[in-house]
Amino acid sequence: MKTIKYFWTLCLAVAAFTFTACSDSDSSGSSSQMKIDQIYLENIDDDVIKDRPVEFARLGQLLRIQGSGFTGVKRIYVNGYETYFNNALMTDNNIWVQLNSKTPVDKADESVRNTIVLYKSESNQLVYPFTIRAAAPSITNVDNTLPKAGELVMVSGSNLQETTKVTLPDGTEITSGIESDEDGEWFTFTVPGSADLTVAGSITSEGANGTAISPDYFNNFNCFVTDFDGKGELGSWSATYTSDDLVDDPLNTGRGKVAMLVPEAKLADGGIDVGGEALYWATAGNDNPNDDWGARMFSYIPAETSAANVALQFDIYCPEPWDLTGQLEFSLQNNLSGKGWGSAATKYSSQYINTATVWVPWLNTEDGSHEAWSTGERWQTITIPMTKFGNYDPTEAPDATFQNICDDRNAGSYRNFMMIFVNSDLEFSDDIVYKSSTFNQKIYVDNIRVVSIAPVTVSDFGDEETTE
């Protein structure tokens, strides 16, 4: 068996581009009965088991079908899809076949789903039940990571079809009321009243393609910046709003005090003028222990964590459509000489500590198009990777870490965290420019925090999950 296995490994590179189905004219062994004893996953990159017996496989994987009576096999069907195989490497006891990425999975007809069919003739076929899955499911975003009981949570990612079970960090299992996208891009669930929402961690989902685990930011408020309710002291000077400008959560969800991007008093005066800006919402800065991120956050997010695996999260409630004007800027320290889309502090510099980013939900940052955006009648979590902030641009600083971020904050003359609403023109390109107009919408923000967004890889074979 080992001789055959390593012969295949040696021949794989040559054979990869010459896979052909056996000719119908080849009748050798066509009358012998077929039997499948076991299917193996062939994985030469596996340091432990390169030829592993499996009960399911994923698209793109290479399988070895072991049994007897295979001589004369003309075709192989996987989930009804004719799948090419290399008859030059086939023996009477082994067939090697690679699952084509075009093989239907959830869209396969129920009569052929999760089957492998070996075909010699109409009267000599073997149907073997075998689970076929798409690529491993993954979770890339959770749109409400500090929910209250009864609130909806949307989880986005890939290959999340037919999600049937969601487990929260406290162990609460949700098996009813789950809705999932037929293309596997999302699923939703409602947080039950029985869940303990003080337990932080990951969401685990189970569906047609297996198990997926989110980053550990669900219910995670370990590394808060400010919650406007006493965690994270607000700064107060002439350029800032103060705690007197905070308002009660308008949805009465239990979130306490929240910040308005444009406070009531300013809205009463007509809002933010063309080219204008609001005051800052800022933390106390410098000698305040809450603003020394490293000292209190490294126990939750290790210093060596890549900047790509750290993010700023905040919750936002935007009841009315927001479009065409207005930008929300964040800075990790108080050093903004210019503000808004494309300003210097949002770009990498080898000479200056630039730690700002601008979030514009109505702007498509890929092509410059726009679309009105709102959260409807619910709070929603926004996650902005630290690689979107100035000097942590991955193309310029691929090795940036959370240690670098904290060092930069502490090295600044003023380490206040800043949030400001800017209403300047937005020049996306020479051809795409959005002229600002008076802004007078009510938009609310709460629970600004730092989280790890390191993806979790789940083993198909019972090995422990790993965080990248």
Side-chain angles (χ1 to χ4, degrees):
M1 191 62 62
K2 288 184 178 180
T3 300
I4 294 173
K5 179 177 63 178
Y6 290 110
F7 173 69
W8 166 254
T9 300
L10 185 64
C11 293
L12 182 59
V14 175
F17 297 99
T18 60
F19 272 47
T20 56
C22 292
S23 167
D24 284 347
S25 63
D26 180 7
S27 60
S28 175
S30 61
S31 62
S32 60
Q33 294 300 305
M34 296 174 284
K35 178 185 178 184
I36 293 177
D37 296 323
Q38 180 65 59
I39 294 181
Y40 292 82
L41 172 64
E42 299 288 273
N43 187 0
I44 60 175
D45 295 325
D46 192 319
D47 294 332
V48 180
I49 305 177
K50 300 182 184 298
D51 186 49
R52 181 194 296 266
V54 290
E55 301 302 322
F56 70 89
R58 299 188 183 280
L59 301 188
Q61 291 182 329
L62 176 66
L63 303 179
R64 177 173 67 84
I65 304 174
Q66 179 179 293
S68 59
F70 296 156
T71 300
V73 169
K74 298 184 177 74
R75 303 184 188 95
I76 295 177
Y77 297 92
V78 179
N79 279 8
Y81 182 85
E82 185 170 358
T83 303
Y84 292 100
F85 63 101
N86 192 323
N87 62 336
L89 295 177
M90 182 182 73
T91 72
D92 195 59
N93 300 105
N94 290 279
I95 301 175
W96 286 268
V97 60
Q98 190 157 24
L99 301 182
N100 194 297
S101 62
K102 296 180 180 179
T103 304
V105 181
D106 58 299
K107 291 183 173 63
D109 189 276
E110 286 295 329
S111 64
V112 296
R113 185 175 178 181
N114 293 325
T115 63
I116 294 178
V117 178
L118 305 184
Y119 176 96
K120 289 186 179 182
S121 66
E122 287 297 326
S123 60
N124 192 358
Q125 303 178 43
L126 173 62
V127 179
Y128 186 78
F130 186 78
T131 300
I132 304 298
R133 295 177 175 175
S138 64
I139 293 173
T140 56
N141 186 64
V142 179
D143 85 338
N144 190 359
T145 64
L146 292 180
K148 303 298 182 182
E151 290 189 344
L152 185 75
V153 177
M154 174 178 281
V155 179
S156 303
S158 60
N159 301 309
L160 297 170
Q161 288 95 335
E162 299 175 15
T163 297
T164 56
K165 182 178 178 181
V166 176
T167 304
L168 303 184
D170 70 327
T172 296
E173 295 182 352
I174 302 168
T175 56
S176 62
I178 301 170
E179 295 187 11
S180 53
D181 171 44
E182 65 177 11
D183 294 323
E185 295 181 353
W186 54 265
F187 65 84
T188 63
F189 65 92
T190 300
V191 178
S194 59
D196 185 350
L197 300 180
T198 66
V199 180
S202 300
I203 293 174
T204 301
S205 70
E206 298 176 31
N209 296 313
T211 299
I213 299 178
S214 75
D216 69 352
Y217 50 47
F218 196 72
N219 295 335
N220 194 327
F221 206 9
N222 292 321
C223 300
F224 63 86
V225 176
T226 180
D227 68 350
F228 302 111
D229 288 298
K231 290 184 177 179
E233 183 180 340
L234 292 181
S236 178
W237 65 94
S238 60
T240 68
Y241 295 118
T242 70
S243 57
D244 291 337
D245 297 295
L246 296 171
V247 297
D248 293 326
D249 170 12
L251 290 180
N252 297 312
T253 63
R255 284 176 170 80
K257 294 292 185 180
V258 301
M260 297 184 71
L261 295 186
V262 184
E264 292 281 8
K266 189 66 176 176
L267 291 175
D269 288 338
I272 304 296
D273 294 332
V274 171
E277 60 190 48
L279 299 180
Y280 292 107
W281 288 101
T283 58
N286 289 28
D287 297 327
N288 191 289
N290 284 324
D291 272 299
D292 186 349
W293 286 10
R296 66 186 184 87
M297 295 184 184
F298 284 159
S299 59
Y300 301 104
I301 305 175
E304 65 274 14
T305 303
S306 169
N309 285 334
V310 183
L312 182 77
Q313 277 190 345
F314 61 95
D315 298 332
I316 186 168
Y317 168 45
C318 178
E320 300 298 329
W322 178 6
D323 198 8
L324 293 173
T325 192
Q327 310 165 34
L328 183 54
E329 182 157 2
F330 297 94
S331 181
L332 306 187
Q333 59 171 276
N334 183 3
N335 67 345
L336 296 179
S337 57
K339 304 180 186 71
W341 181 268
S343 59
T346 66
K347 298 178 180 179
Y348 175 83
S349 171
S350 60
Q351 298 179 327
Y352 300 100
I353 299 177
N354 289 338
T355 62
T357 192
V358 174
W359 180 70
V360 186
W362 50 265
L363 178 70
N364 183 324
T365 58
E366 297 295 325
D367 61 15
S369 62
H370 71 94
E371 183 177 2
W373 181 89
S374 80
T375 65
E377 287 301 307
R378 62 187 290 256
W379 284 90
Q380 183 174 323
T381 297
I382 304 299
T383 303
I384 305 178
M386 287 295 176
T387 49
K388 298 291 186 181
F389 288 75
N391 278 12
Y392 316 117
D393 182 336
T395 60
E396 299 288 351
D399 299 323
T401 65
F402 189 43
Q403 178 78 65
N404 298 138
I405 293 169
C406 294
D407 287 348
D408 286 348
R409 292 193 77 248
N410 288 338
S413 299
Y414 305 98
R415 68 182 182 201
N416 316 79
F417 174 87
M418 316 289 286
M419 176 176 74
I420 186 171
F421 182 85
V422 179
N423 200 32
S424 57
D425 294 347
L426 193 157
E427 184 176 342
F428 182 82
S429 66
D430 290 342
D431 299 324
I432 302 176
V433 178
Y434 293 98
K435 294 291 186 179
S436 63
S437 58
T438 300
F439 189 91
N440 53 14
Q441 287 184 230
K442 293 183 178 182
I443 299 177
Y444 309 84
V445 168
D446 197 17
N447 295 330
I448 303 172
R449 66 265 192 198
V450 179
V451 298
S452 168
I453 56 171
V456 180
T457 301
V458 181
S459 170
D460 277 336
F461 308 109
D463 303 327
E464 290 186 3
E465 301 85 27
T466 58
T467 300
E468 296 180 11

